Amino acid sequence: MTPSDHGTPRLGDAKTSKLSAARKVSAPPLTVWLGSAMYTFPADRDATVGRERDCDIWLRDTDPATFALISRVHAILRYDGTRWVVIDKSQNGVFIDGVRRPVIAIRSGQSVSLGNPRGPRLTFRVADAWKPPERTLPRDLP
């Protein structure tokens, strides 16, 4: 990769979102907390959450009852071109405010629970999208 295309997603990368690559998105990263663990993901690829070791956020809870409710790949965190979303891929669901939802639009400060309303909780922060500094014209000097 040359220095000039450092921020350009590659379509050959298995985890690159084709939508974001096609648009060359300058989108906000997503920060996720699971307890005290913090993860940050760029918008040019999906992030997986689940009990499988290959997941980006690997849920390895010590409570067997909770662990049994988490799917191998429980959810996908995706930037859909305009916003970050949680996509439920599990048998036991993703919950917001105690209600199971198949897709949840992510807002900063929001939390979702996995497996049941009292399951492991993910808390999100969406960084502000980068904006170039405004150019100001010099004022006429007296």
Side-chain angles (χ1 to χ4, degrees):
M1 186 181 321
T2 64
S4 62
D5 63 359
H6 230 75
T8 306
R10 294 174 292 145
L11 285 173
D13 184 350
K15 291 199 173 192
T16 299
S17 165
K18 289 179 183 178
L19 178 62
S20 62
R23 293 185 180 181
K24 295 185 180 178
V25 174
S26 173
L30 176 67
T31 302
V32 182
W33 284 270
L34 173 64
S36 61
M38 182 179 87
Y39 307 85
T40 299
F41 302 104
D44 64 348
R45 70 175 194 90
D46 292 343
T48 55
V49 181
R51 63 181 166 89
E52 189 171 84
R53 284 182 182 234
D54 291 340
C55 287
D56 296 298
I57 299 177
W58 180 28
L59 300 168
R60 51 185 183 266
D61 193 27
T62 57
D63 177 15
T66 301
F67 191 71
L69 296 175
I70 304 301
S71 296
R72 288 184 186 114
V73 175
H74 199 90
I76 295 175
L77 308 176
R78 175 178 291 158
Y79 187 76
D80 71 1
T82 59
R83 64 188 178 171
W84 280 96
V85 294
V86 179
I87 302 167
D88 182 11
K89 293 295 195 180
S90 70
Q91 289 185 339
N92 294 309
V94 176
F95 296 81
I96 182 164
D97 299 327
V99 178
R100 185 176 180 172
R101 302 275 183 205
V103 177
I104 299 169
I106 296 174
R107 296 182 326 270
S108 284
Q110 179 180 44
S111 293
V112 298
S113 298
L114 307 174
N116 69 43
R118 291 180 304 282
R121 182 175 294 267
L122 302 177
T123 302
F124 304 105
R125 185 187 69 170
V126 180
D128 294 331
W130 181 83
K131 297 177 186 172
E134 289 185 28
R135 294 184 63 184
T136 57
L137 298 174
R139 295 175 22 176
D140 290 338
L141 298 175

